[in-house]
Amino acid sequence: MDQQGGVKQGASGSDVSYLVVERLSRRFGDVAAVDDVSLTVARGEIICLVGHSGCGKSSLLRLVAGVDRPDRGRILLDGEEIAGPRSHVEPEDRRIGFMFQDYALFPHLSVTDNVRFGLARLDKARAAARAEEVIGLLGIPHLAGRFPHMLSGGEQQRVALARALAPQPRILLMDEPFSNLDRGLRDGLRTETLGVLRELGTTVLMVTHDPEEALSSGDRVVLMRGGSVVQEGSGRELYDRPRNAYAAEFFCSFNKIPGTCSQGFLETPLGRFAAPDLAEGARATAHIRPHSLRISDEHAQGLECRVLDIILMGEIEEVRLLASGVPEPLRVRSTVRCSLRPGDAATVQLTSANVLIF
């Protein structure tokens, strides 16, 4: 075991299959919380489980932690079966760290004692040394004597991370670890935390409901829906090459323009797009991201439309347009301020070939 919380290569495991989830299922009555999920995590990899509330991501985390038992399937960690039809290793014996959404710090214990809480198996001197080491590693020695009510949200998050890393877990589970923080603090602290975990080589399974957080944080992203895996891969893969409309729309808002397939192309009011896999006469929808459109005045070439509304979103401005033949208002987003006003005639053009058809 690495002395800073990472895990060294073991004889029984491999880098490719450090954590293996095989056809895991868990039902609560008629609800399939986890439905035939398979997943492989490499040693030192950071995986983000993402999806809407109730998709099964937290239920999967609980099964890996051992606080719940699967109805079917099995889980292996570093070659050891920790859950399955004939085995169930108790949570305290799995050597898995768990960082909760609300941090779950003990209010009557100091920061040092909170960090030492999971070190009961060590003698007092070794536990004190390990706690001091991890507190120093995370840059919070000045907080050692304080109590949780004396800490800011960001400080509580660092203490919770220190407590989770102190026992040198084989894998760290994180359930919405940044959701309680203000956005400005959340972004900075997430970058800092993930930097520490990567430096230590810690294997991480992190749950989030935030699409941007998932895309920017994980080495791989696992999108779930209804207890099942919809798609997994790198953030770029899921954003640029989603397998279906659900995956596409989870990570980005789209202009959805219906059309009909003719001679290998989808014909729409905004243009024709290659669709070689669609049957002649098939109905489909072109998904176009708001930043892939550009607005010009009414004299330019493009689809004729009228400005409905202009919404300032800070750095970005969104313009909503009514266009002939398009059932829903088109949305155009840009960092360039629009000189048109609601009611003005305009034209809109496609500026990117990245059109998704489902």
Side-chain angles (χ1 to χ4, degrees):
M1 183 74 67
D2 186 285
Q3 291 303 304
Q4 290 187 324
V7 185
K8 292 182 179 178
Q9 175 69 41
S12 60
S14 70
D15 284 340
V16 176
S17 56
Y18 185 61
L19 173 69
V20 178
V21 174
E22 289 184 356
R23 307 204 64 178
L24 209 64
S25 294
R26 181 69 170 106
R27 299 187 68 87
F28 298 98
D30 295 332
V31 177
V34 177
D35 188 11
D36 200 30
V37 169
S38 294
L39 179 66
T40 301
V41 181
R43 188 187 305 270
E45 194 173 23
I46 296 177
I47 301 293
C48 281
L49 301 175
V50 66
H52 296 300
S53 296
C55 72
K57 55 190 187 294
S58 292
S59 295
L60 179 56
L61 216 64
R62 288 171 58 85
L63 292 170
V64 175
V67 296
D68 194 12
R69 297 189 180 206
D71 297 322
R72 192 182 66 186
R74 64 178 189 151
I75 305 171
L76 294 90
L77 180 57
D78 199 17
E80 173 194 3
E81 185 174 282
I82 58 175
R86 295 171 299 278
S87 64
H88 180 79
V89 177
E90 294 299 325
E92 61 270 20
D93 296 322
R94 295 190 179 193
R95 289 172 48 217
I96 291 177
F98 205 126
M99 188 171 169
F100 298 92
Q101 180 178 358
D102 61 359
Y103 311 138
L105 300 177
F106 298 107
H108 62 290
L109 297 181
S110 68
V111 166
T112 295
D113 288 338
N114 263 284
V115 175
R116 283 199 310 207
F117 183 80
L119 302 174
R121 296 185 180 185
L122 300 181
D123 62 51
K124 185 175 293 188
R126 291 178 61 198
R130 176 59 182 168
E132 183 179 358
E133 177 186 11
V134 177
I135 287 172
L137 180 68
L138 293 180
I140 53 173
H142 60 292
L143 304 178
R146 297 185 191 178
F147 290 83
H149 72 275
M150 303 167 66
L151 306 177
S152 67
E155 289 169 341
Q156 290 185 33
Q157 198 269 356
R158 289 181 177 92
V159 174
L161 179 62
R163 186 179 62 182
L165 290 176
Q168 300 175 316
R170 294 192 288 179
I171 183 170
L172 178 62
L173 309 180
M174 307 174 77
D175 192 0
E176 301 275 8
F178 308 105
S179 62
N180 288 338
L181 304 173
D182 294 336
R183 182 171 183 86
L185 177 61
R186 181 169 70 239
D187 293 346
L189 191 56
R190 180 175 64 238
T191 299
E192 176 188 319
T193 299
L194 294 175
V196 169
L197 294 173
R198 286 195 166 95
E199 184 178 344
L200 298 177
T202 307
T203 307
V204 178
L205 204 57
M206 184 176 94
V207 160
T208 179
H209 68 277
D210 186 330
E212 290 184 13
E213 184 168 86
L215 293 174
S216 63
S217 301
D219 298 316
R220 276 190 297 137
V221 180
V222 179
L223 174 62
M224 297 187 67
R225 181 187 191 189
S228 299
V229 173
V230 176
Q231 186 175 349
E232 66 172 282
S234 69
R236 288 191 176 189
E237 286 174 327
L238 268 70
Y239 187 84
D240 293 337
R241 296 185 295 280
R243 291 178 183 169
N244 52 40
Y246 179 82
E249 292 169 22
F250 183 85
F251 292 104
C252 181
S253 61
F254 280 89
N255 294 295
K256 292 181 282 188
I257 304 176
T260 303
C261 187
S262 175
Q263 298 180 341
F265 289 88
L266 184 69
E267 304 284 353
T268 77
L270 196 58
R272 61 201 306 260
F273 309 109
D277 298 330
L278 293 182
E280 185 72 14
R283 298 287 294 172
T285 301
H287 284 60
I288 301 173
R289 292 187 171 98
H291 63 257
S292 296
L293 296 175
R294 181 182 63 209
I295 303 171
S296 299
D297 62 33
E298 60 183 317
H299 304 296
Q301 289 187 337
L303 177 64
E304 294 182 359
C305 53
R306 188 167 298 277
V307 177
L308 178 64
D309 199 6
I310 300 173
I311 303 169
L312 181 63
M313 305 170 68
E315 181 181 358
I316 294 172
E317 192 172 72
E318 178 175 286
V319 181
R320 298 169 66 227
L321 306 163
L322 291 177
S324 176
V326 180
E328 298 291 332
L330 292 174
R331 290 169 296 157
V332 181
R333 290 181 180 174
S334 174
T335 56
V336 178
R337 298 291 184 246
C338 180
S339 60
L340 300 174
R341 293 291 176 262
D344 287 351
T347 58
V348 64
Q349 305 97 23
L350 183 66
T351 63
S352 169
N354 187 21
V355 175
L356 303 173
I357 297 174
F358 301 107

